[in-house]
Amino acid sequence: MAFLHPRVMSVDSDGDKNGLHVNGQDSLVQPLLTDFYQISMTYSYWKSKIQDEPAVFDLFFRKNPFHGEFTIFAGLEDCLRFVESFRFSESDISYIRTLLPHAEPSFFDYLEALDCSSLTIHAVKEGSLVFPKIPLLSVSGPLAICQLLETTLLNLVNYSSLVATNAARFRLAAGPKINLLEFGLRRAQGPNGGLAASKYCYIGGFDGTSNVLAGKLFGIPVKGTQAHSFISAFSQASDLRVRELTAKNGDTVDLYELAVKKRDIIMEKLSWGVSGSELSEGELCAFVAYAISFPQSFLALIDTYDVLRSGVVNFVAVCMALNECGYTPIGCRIDSGDLSYLSKEVRQRLKAVAALDESTLSFLSTMTIVASNDINEETILSLNEQKHEIDSFGVGTHLVTCQKQPALGCVYKLVTVGNAAKIKLSQEVAKISIPGRKMAYRVYGKAGYAILDILQLFDEAAPEVNKQMQCRHPFEESKRAMVLPSRVEPLHHVFWADGKIQQKLPTLQLVKEHVQKELEHLRNDHKRQLNPTPYKVSVSERLYIFLHDIWLKNAPIGQLD
């Protein structure tokens, strides 16, 4: 969920309210956006007089999504904005009274005074690559307030990180030169899901969005063409009530008449495999109408009737007419059919027309071809193998809904209370938490790629460059390695302390750039789509001993009779 900061409404420069709450308790992201048991546990902590016991909670996940070996961390700024504005309002307290009718009255006084000024939050930088078991956030402070944040922090991190990772995978599949556009608003899980998807897909590597509100709120480039309904709204020349276009030289031109002439020329000079009677007159009129509206950015949807037997012919005719008026069209979009075959056939036809007069029509051969139509990561990889001629993909449903995996599965676990380390045990070893307050480091090898991440106890000295260190698997005794770091990067930084944000938060564009830099330092075998090499997350020798000591102390001893 993209955070809209509470209590102050966003106001446009002309003074009009846009109806979005951005700074106070009116936002959806507020203290009551939580599970009821957080409040009931808080009451019990308070009743037991342990609400102010110093505690540490770690927020992490156990498995990378999409059968991959990396995850992009996103949502940190949203978390910090939530913590910054955390206060229960009078109406919140009144409502909680109805949920806890038998609670002592002074508990509600405690809640009313509660804020996050006593917390310290260590976190990984937003846009960083992260891996299982590494705390994305480590929240320390009084037990009760740390507990109260759990559900909201998980909500803010889970989807943001998931969809940013999905977007990054699409970017890796498409390669660096292909333009990627997020078209998912209509298929997203509600308005907040749509906004969050647009924001975090941009971070993950997409170039623009169709979501106009996301463009306004987050500064993301907004892109779009037209729908099939626009094309089919025109049937004949009489539907085209405006035909004139002011050319670049100031002349007034009947663009429809000029487009018809251009179409006649290319039909005569080139073999299209189609008769003139098969060309849709309404489609030509729709293209002309759109070209008159947007002569400097004309991009047409050419598959409403038939891409090769109508769409591309009408499209080229209008492009030639626009070019004669001094404008350079952008391209076309294909939204159905065999995208590889159609893109290659369209490119071939564009080049054939360009060859008629290279001095004036060369722009046609390099025009942008956009493809949409329920595209997923596998579709792009398949199209790559088929040597497609697509310059841009518009991706919606599979991107924003994360159909391959609907949730990341972040958890928020207590690791310390007072001076005592805490552990969550399970018969599934992967679900056993790593106790104690910890710091994480990324270790790089001689080739400049990340070798592994290592977790250490908070008071351990950081790994040193060119100093050999032993790294151990958290749970498997035989898995260990000696590592000689060429570079060591601390992953955790203090982002919240003394009641305020401690770091200058980067812009969306800087986070986006950070994602790509992070991916560049990850080996290709970790990033590949099929059977990627697992990335190692290790613990120090001291943390390994500490973990297993706590594990044995807390594991029940069975008795055989």
Side-chain angles (χ1 to χ4, degrees):
M1 178 182 291
F3 184 78
L4 300 176
H5 209 34
R7 267 215 217 274
V8 174
M9 296 187 80
S10 175
V11 179
D12 294 331
S13 58
D14 60 4
D16 292 335
K17 294 178 179 178
N18 67 13
L20 289 169
H21 296 71
V22 259
N23 212 358
Q25 289 295 60
D26 295 324
S27 169
L28 287 176
V29 185
Q30 55 180 289
L32 288 191
L33 186 69
T34 189
D35 294 308
F36 174 62
Y37 77 169
Q38 309 292 4
I39 297 172
S40 62
M41 283 190 289
T42 298
Y43 178 65
S44 193
Y45 288 145
W46 179 85
K47 183 82 171 169
S48 304
K49 300 187 184 303
I50 62 168
Q51 75 276 13
D52 292 326
E53 280 291 300
V56 180
F57 284 78
D58 286 346
L59 190 156
F60 60 94
F61 60 92
R62 300 184 175 112
K63 188 176 181 180
N64 288 303
F66 312 119
H67 305 291
E69 284 300 330
F70 70 87
T71 301
I72 304 296
F73 173 43
L76 175 60
E77 181 174 355
D78 294 343
C79 293
L80 295 172
R81 298 300 182 196
F82 167 64
V83 168
E84 186 178 43
S85 64
F86 184 97
R87 286 298 289 264
F88 286 104
S89 67
E90 289 183 18
S91 63
D92 292 342
I93 300 297
S94 297
Y95 180 66
I96 296 172
R97 287 180 188 273
T98 69
L99 300 177
L100 301 175
H102 303 296
E104 296 178 27
S106 52
F107 172 66
F108 301 106
D109 297 331
Y110 164 74
L111 286 184
E112 195 169 5
L114 207 55
D115 62 23
C116 294
S117 59
S118 55
L119 295 182
T120 299
I121 298 177
H122 289 77
V124 179
K125 291 179 181 178
E126 186 152 16
S128 296
L129 286 175
V130 286
F131 302 95
K133 296 292 185 181
I134 297 294
L136 313 182
L137 299 171
S138 185
V139 182
S140 56
L143 176 60
I145 182 63
C146 290
Q147 183 74 68
L148 273 172
L149 299 182
E150 175 180 4
T151 300
T152 316
L153 294 181
L154 287 171
N155 179 271
L156 291 170
V157 170
N158 261 312
Y159 177 70
S160 301
S161 299
L162 183 73
V163 78
T165 305
N166 202 23
R169 291 178 64 87
F170 272 87
R171 170 51 70 196
L172 288 172
K177 296 180 181 179
I178 296 292
N179 195 258
L180 291 177
L181 305 174
E182 176 267 310
F183 286 172
L185 178 58
R186 63 186 58 197
R187 304 286 171 78
Q189 283 91 341
N192 284 283
L195 281 171
S198 298
K199 178 180 180 180
Y200 293 109
C201 286
Y202 184 69
I203 283 176
F206 273 60
D207 299 293
T209 179
S210 64
N211 186 341
V212 178
L213 183 57
K216 178 182 180 182
L217 293 176
F218 308 127
I220 302 170
V222 176
K223 305 291 182 181
T225 54
Q226 68 273 139
H228 295 110
S229 56
F230 181 86
I231 306 301
S232 59
F234 296 83
S235 300
Q236 54 200 3
S238 59
D239 294 335
L240 198 58
R241 297 174 185 175
V242 176
R243 298 184 176 196
E244 291 74 28
L245 172 68
T246 302
K248 278 284 187 73
N249 63 9
D251 293 344
T252 299
V253 178
D254 185 321
L255 191 66
Y256 172 75
E257 184 179 294
L258 183 57
V260 170
K261 289 179 181 178
K262 297 298 183 183
R263 188 173 68 176
D264 290 342
I265 292 171
I266 60 174
M267 287 292 288
E268 179 185 344
K269 292 189 175 183
L270 295 172
S271 175
W272 295 87
V274 59
S275 65
S277 62
E278 293 180 74
L279 302 175
S280 170
E281 190 65 23
E283 183 178 58
L284 179 66
C285 293
F287 290 170
V288 169
Y290 205 78
I292 290 171
S293 302
F294 301 99
Q296 296 179 337
S297 57
F298 178 64
L299 196 152
L301 178 62
I302 64 172
D303 74 320
T304 303
Y305 301 110
D306 190 298
V307 172
L308 301 180
R309 303 184 71 83
S310 180
V312 68
V313 182
N314 285 326
F315 167 69
V316 169
V318 175
C319 287
M320 292 173 68
L322 273 177
N323 181 62
E324 191 166 305
C325 294
Y327 301 101
T328 303
I330 292 177
C332 61
R333 178 165 74 97
I334 306 170
D335 191 47
S336 61
D338 185 332
L339 298 178
S340 176
Y341 169 74
L342 290 174
S343 69
K344 287 183 279 190
E345 288 295 314
V346 168
R347 182 71 71 197
Q348 181 181 337
R349 284 157 172 75
L350 292 173
K351 288 181 177 180
V353 177
L356 294 176
D357 187 350
E358 289 287 351
S359 63
T360 60
L361 299 177
S362 60
F363 72 94
L364 285 168
S365 61
T366 56
M367 292 189 82
T368 297
I369 298 176
V370 182
S372 42
N373 187 28
D374 215 24
I375 288 171
N376 58 31
E377 186 182 345
E378 288 73 20
T379 303
I380 295 176
L381 291 169
S382 175
L383 288 167
N384 290 343
E385 293 175 356
Q386 299 172 63
K387 307 297 183 183
H388 66 82
E389 284 287 346
I390 297 163
D391 303 291
S392 179
F393 288 105
V395 190
T397 305
H398 289 277
L399 176 65
V400 304
T401 64
C402 301
Q403 285 192 351
K404 286 171 67 176
Q405 182 172 327
L408 177 56
C410 285
V411 293
Y412 186 82
K413 296 299 180 184
L414 178 67
V415 294
T416 299
V417 174
N419 295 318
K422 300 295 178 179
I423 190 170
K424 191 272 180 191
L425 296 179
S426 172
Q427 291 184 341
E428 297 177 56
V429 173
K431 289 192 173 183
I432 295 175
S433 63
I434 299 178
R437 192 174 181 186
K438 301 170 288 293
M439 293 292 284
Y441 300 88
R442 184 154 296 159
V443 177
Y444 293 82
K446 290 184 292 185
Y449 293 111
I451 298 175
L452 55 78
D453 287 1
I454 185 166
L455 280 170
Q456 300 187 167
L457 289 168
F458 192 80
D459 58 353
E460 286 190 73
E464 296 179 29
V465 172
N466 295 325
K467 183 176 181 180
Q468 201 167 57
M469 55 188 288
Q470 182 171 234
C471 302
R472 304 201 62 166
H473 188 285
F475 307 114
E476 297 184 34
E477 186 175 14
S478 63
K479 289 188 175 182
R480 52 189 178 172
M482 300 302 293
V483 176
L484 188 67
S486 294
R487 179 162 73 92
V488 176
E489 177 188 356
L491 295 180
H492 289 143
H493 307 271
V494 178
F495 276 90
W496 177 267
D498 302 321
K500 60 184 179 181
I501 297 172
Q502 296 293 313
Q503 308 269 351
K504 182 180 179 182
L505 300 180
T507 63
L508 214 59
Q509 181 62 36
L510 288 175
V511 176
K512 177 185 174 76
E513 292 170 6
H514 180 57
V515 170
Q516 296 309 311
K517 288 177 183 176
E518 287 277 284
L519 287 168
E520 288 171 5
H521 288 102
L522 188 67
R523 291 201 323 256
N524 288 333
D525 58 310
H526 295 308
K527 295 182 286 189
R528 68 189 176 209
Q529 198 251 358
L530 186 63
N531 297 325
T533 303
Y535 181 86
K536 293 179 177 63
V537 175
S538 302
V539 296
S540 66
E541 177 72 13
R542 186 176 156 200
L543 179 54
Y544 178 85
I545 294 169
F546 181 77
L547 161 62
H548 286 262
D549 182 53
I550 300 293
W551 187 352
L552 290 175
K553 285 180 181 178
N554 285 271
I557 301 174
Q559 180 172 326
L560 302 177
D561 295 328

